[in-house]
Amino acid sequence: MSITTPAGFRAAGVAAGLKSTGAKDVALVVNDGPTFTSASVFTANRCQANPVLWSKEVVKDGTVKAVVLNSGGANCYTGADGFQTTHATAEKVGELLGVGAIDVVVCSTGLIGMKNDRDDLLAGVENAAAGLSAEGGAEAAEAIMTTDSVSKQAVVEGAGWSIGGMAKGAGMLAPQLATMLVVITTDAVVSAEDLDTALRAATRVSFDRLDSDGCMSTNDTVTLMASGASGITPPLGDFTEALTQVCTDLAMQLLKDAEGADHEIAISTINAASEDEAVEVSRSVARSNLFKAAIFGNDPNWGRVLASIGTTGAQFDPADLDVAMNGIWVCRNSTPDADPETVDLTGREVSVTIDLKSGDARATVWTNDLTHAYVHENSAYSS
Amino acid sequence: MSITTPAGFRAAGVAAGLKSTGAKDVALVVNDGPTFTSASVFTANRCQANPVLWSKEVVKDGTVKAVVLNSGGANCYTGADGFQTTHATAEKVGELLGVGAIDVVVCSTGLIGMKNDRDDLLAGVENAAAGLSAEGGAEAAEAIMTTDSVSKQAVVEGAGWSIGGMAKGAGMLAPQLATMLVVITTDAVVSAEDLDTALRAATRVSFDRLDSDGCMSTNDTVTLMASGASGITPPLGDFTEALTQVCTDLAMQLLKDAEGADHEIAISTINAASEDEAVEVSRSVARSNLFKAAIFGNDPNWGRVLASIGTTGAQFDPADLDVAMNGIWVCRNSTPDADPETVDLTGREVSVTIDLKSGDARATVWTNDLTHAYVHENSAYSS
């Protein structure tokens, strides 16, 4: 049930001393082939960390043979010296595996503006390479954790092929990815072009619709590698559906483990003129600190929902909006309807449904509530 | 030192029982002329409260003779019945003052989705009209408070003329105004057209650049009335400058009284390609919950500043950004520079300076930190 479930992959996770706690902090995932096709997506932030700058070059030809990841330091805003650390990491992996450094994706996560100790990191890479095994997936998933309270893994089985994934991230989740590292493996035979199509379709409705706190990270990377070891080429539709399941499963694990959150909130906009407008409306609510604080207080404050919808450019009649919370229509035609007292928000899962009455498109964006623990974690610790 | 400092204005503030505390909750401001020119700006939110829907019609001809304001209920998302309450309020003021209801601006603030008691409100209007006086400005400013801890007033004197202002709002401040009611008076002789030009210029660099929590309210109204009682027509440049001073003074009072804030943060972007881009960059930082939580924790976290800048479309080189906090350049060329330990953030006032090195435009956006008290106020109480 990990990234080493699909045939053709080995992985390892070791402690290299980058984390002051002594916990595992270097992971290595290797594709042993016979194919080495891949696809990746990266943060849309223009201020990108050194490993992102490097890895974007690596993935251009559709070939990736290994992914090396470290926690304990993001290697972001660390200048030319930081880039050299990333490059040296890829070189070391290439040397140990007998592959080109230019086929090695590098991911880092942790504090921004702090250099990783290059010697510690490279020694960790050496240990990880020595410990590679077809049972190493769980260890690798553990080694990429930062403020995560649990490691995140998912597997979906196809007909003779499978997809495995691991993810880290427990906050800073935002549109178009955020401090999130994801590695996905498959033993299906899929061209790089089809992997790219499938990955973009899958991330568009999963990771891209997580918006925990509206912030966008500098290091986000999702890399998908196909070993072809099953010898099976599934129909692209089947593959995309399974990949979407893996991504959605991982995204929901990230949502549930978001820093300091008390509630997982699914904001669905229905009957929108277009899917883009449905996303825009749901995201505007997901970004409202007032709304998120209200949910923390178990207050079904639909007025704050309407106030957020009103900031968007979507098609709707401001006097004819309906809003349900946990299935109870507390607002119809932009006026009070069911008694908000009948809405029970004490459970972790909260649903908000917004009916725009302007078409037949829909979309869901997931977010968390704004809690004392969020403020505490993000004021007491740097990242 | 109030809205009744300029000649030609009377005001009153009374308790009408709309607030459960028994505090003052109805204010009336009357222009006794000889001129009745005016200009107004309203929330950009498309979901607007009933008083905004009414008042936007009132101000169209540039003539306003009175502003009636209530706290204790926003009369927002209250449907046709709520609109009738707004209309009845204007009618009552018109009847009592012997003016047309269509020259009476109505403003409301308080809970959304809750109807005001019409009889209580109209009785309050009657009491306010009976209590109108040329010394009533301070009482009026008090009657529009909601979660404000202090009333906000400002006066700037010209050569034989003056401008007075009052404001309420202590959170939900956002671009293009937010739960903020502002009444400004002047005894200068100024045409409605010039008032409009001056007011837009003044609000653009004051209220519009407050972004306390990124949320945009449904009730925001700024109304400026000129009585012409001084008989003096100042140069428009002088008038605009004085008006900008009044608006900036009130904006800073709002910022300092924002709900639950520990810090006032001025985010200045310098050497931008355009003023719009400078505003975009400053606002992106002002919207970052991670950055705002860091400031609450007295952590000069410039990495979160860069991560926010990277989400904008402004012109800059991601590898060549400088950031100062309280005047200390902790980041140069997108890498660490001065020791962050030397930055003292224990005072309430924090400045962040971002050098984009891409032009000569600049702008400042003001925000607050994200605190436990913010979460508490906005989760424990509805609004």
Side-chain angles (χ1 to χ4, degrees), chain A residues 44-47 77-79 112-113 172 213 215-216 218 259 288-290 292-294 296-297 299 301-304 306-316 318 321 334-336 370-376 378-379 381-383, chain B residues 44-47 77-79 112-113 172 213 215-216 218 259 288-290 292-294 296-297 299 301-304 306-316 318 321 334-336 370-376 378-379 381-383:
Chain A
N45 200 309
R46 290 170 60 202
C47 290
Y77 314 141
T78 46
I112 283 178
M172 298 179 66
D213 69 1
C215 294
M216 193 192 292
T218 51
E259 285 169 356
S288 166
N289 279 348
L290 287 169
K292 288 152 66 88
F296 170 56
D299 171 15
N301 196 313
W302 57 268
R304 294 178 181 175
L306 260 61
S308 295
I309 299 170
T311 65
T312 72
Q315 282 184 48
F316 61 83
L321 294 166
S334 302
T335 55
L370 180 60
T371 68
H372 287 300
Y374 176 89
V375 174
H376 179 70
N378 288 299
S379 60
Y381 309 109
S382 288
S383 73
Chain B
N45 200 310
R46 291 169 60 201
C47 290
Y77 314 141
T78 47
I112 283 177
M172 295 179 66
D213 69 1
C215 293
M216 194 191 292
T218 52
E259 284 169 357
S288 166
N289 279 349
L290 287 170
K292 288 151 66 87
F296 169 57
D299 171 14
N301 196 313
W302 58 267
R304 293 178 182 176
L306 260 62
S308 295
I309 300 170
T311 65
T312 72
Q315 282 183 47
F316 62 81
L321 294 165
S334 302
T335 54
L370 180 60
T371 68
H372 288 299
Y374 176 90
V375 173
H376 179 70
N378 289 299
S379 60
Y381 309 108
S382 286
S383 74

Side-chain angles (χ1 to χ4, degrees), chain B residues 6 38 49 52 231 256 286 301 347 362:
Chain B
S38 78
V52 171
K256 288 191 174 73
N301 196 313
R362 60 178 299 151

Side-chain angles (χ1 to χ4, degrees), chain B residues 186-197:
Chain B
T186 181
D187 50 12
V189 180
V190 192
S191 70
E193 193 183 345
D194 283 351
L195 288 179
D196 189 68
T197 303

